[in-house]
Amino acid sequence: MSAIEYAETVVIGAGQQGCGTAAALQELGRDALVLERAEIGQAWAHERWDSLLVGSGNRSVRFPGWDYDGDDIDGFMSGRELADHLRRYAKERELRVREHTPVRQVECPPDADDRDDVRFRTHLAAGGVVESRNLVAAVGGYAAPRVPGLASAIDPAVRQLHSRDYRNPGALPDGAVLVVGAGISGQQIADELVDAGRAVFLSVGRHRAWPRRYRGRGLHEWMFALALYEDFVTVGAGGTSVLPGLPVTAVRDKSGDLNLATLAAKGVVLVGSARAADGGSLVLEDNVVAVAEESARSFREATDLIDTRIRQRGFVAPEEHPAPVVDMDRIAGFGERLDLARHRVTSIVWCTGFGPDYRILPAHVLDEHGAPLQQKGLLGALPGLYYAGLPDGNSLAPVAISASVENGRFIARQIHIDHVLRSGTSASVITP
């Protein structure tokens, strides 16, 4: 029979959200065991490209009871540096993290009631069971790489990989590279490849772009000073269009902006969104100019918003004339077909995002698409079940790194309230 142990709360995943929840519980004197399939900060350290820059900036790297303590608060750290910060935090806080412990399945005893200590049984892949009253799924919404179905129709001689598996230009075969997707990953990877001397094609998709600096200060400093964070993390900020993902802002050399125009100026060939494949060719939507115009509009909305907030607050800041823009003179259409062989494209990097993977949870807590049934991105469909790191409506705020503080403390308060009420004491459920 497999060994059985108990923890009041089991947290699955030792990224920033999982460690943040465990630390917030620790602040309230509650026990938590964090189970991690590989290492603390696994995705940041080992499942992203080497030169990745964290788009939300160093100022966002904060966990419960700990703020960024480096010397470049308005800079952009790498993914591996973020993993190092998280590991140091977990060690200093003495969080109970069990690495290299993948979970096979979570079971909910059908006869459990609100007074039971055991409402969940977490079965480990290597054997053994951890029983708990509470379960926090902190695997986030970025667990499963997404690649469009058309990839299977591409000539097998072309090497294909998702951005999760891309590391650096030297790991790709000689020849031109097609990068698909124009979000943070697509633009950063295309920028790195063209700087390395590779011929690069970028298949565009809808995205937002904001300036790296404006009116004498870095964007993230303005976000803090002018309360722009919600605009940064909310899809469709500005109200005129719905654009997915965080705005593209981080630049490896810390100069200028990163957008379709700056990439085109470096020699990246912009092509339309991929819609189908036929062996050695991709069928494209002829939408390069339309996508760039939409992104340029989001860029202008950002500078207009900063101008408006400065004026409303009566702050003094140097004017910037002309204001930075996405230079549409650099943008040109491409057509409706890309011949991979003619352009010597030997590899494709799919920067087409990720989806959630919650198959370890019981089917009745998931919807027909396998996504969690939840309230406000945190509360699960069963008492004692919580999620950390899921989007909430059109806001990406709960997914952000700094959200580990608010998410963790909200979940910790719910668990504390449950403990106080179940104990029958007169102690206050209100936490400091």
Side-chain angles (χ1 to χ4, degrees), residues 333-361:
F334 182 82
E336 297 181 347
R337 185 170 291 270
L338 174 63
D339 186 321
L340 301 177
R342 183 165 73 85
H343 292 287
R344 299 181 181 178
V345 174
T346 59
S347 53
I348 298 175
V349 182
W350 296 99
C351 299
T352 43
F354 296 80
D357 185 356
Y358 287 90
R359 290 173 293 179
I360 59 173
L361 298 182

Side-chain angles (χ1 to χ4, degrees), residues 161-220:
L161 66 162
H162 190 270
S163 62
R164 186 186 71 171
D165 303 308
Y166 169 81
R167 293 296 173 265
N168 54 62
L172 297 179
D174 292 340
V177 184
L178 170 64
V179 178
V180 181
I184 291 175
S185 58
Q187 292 200 36
Q188 283 194 18
I189 289 173
D191 188 44
E192 174 179 72
L193 287 166
V194 74
D195 282 352
R198 304 298 289 267
V200 181
F201 294 81
L202 176 62
S203 175
V204 302
R206 302 176 73 210
H207 64 281
R208 292 186 289 160
W210 281 27
R212 187 186 65 86
R213 291 185 62 83
Y214 183 52
R215 295 185 67 170
R217 296 191 180 274
L219 171 66
H220 290 83

Side-chain angles (χ1 to χ4, degrees), residues 104-124:
R104 177 172 60 83
Q105 180 186 12
V106 174
E107 173 194 4
C108 301
D111 55 347
D113 63 33
D114 292 343
R115 294 189 175 277
D116 283 348
D117 285 333
V118 177
R119 296 193 288 200
F120 303 94
R121 293 193 180 102
T122 300
H123 296 262
L124 307 180

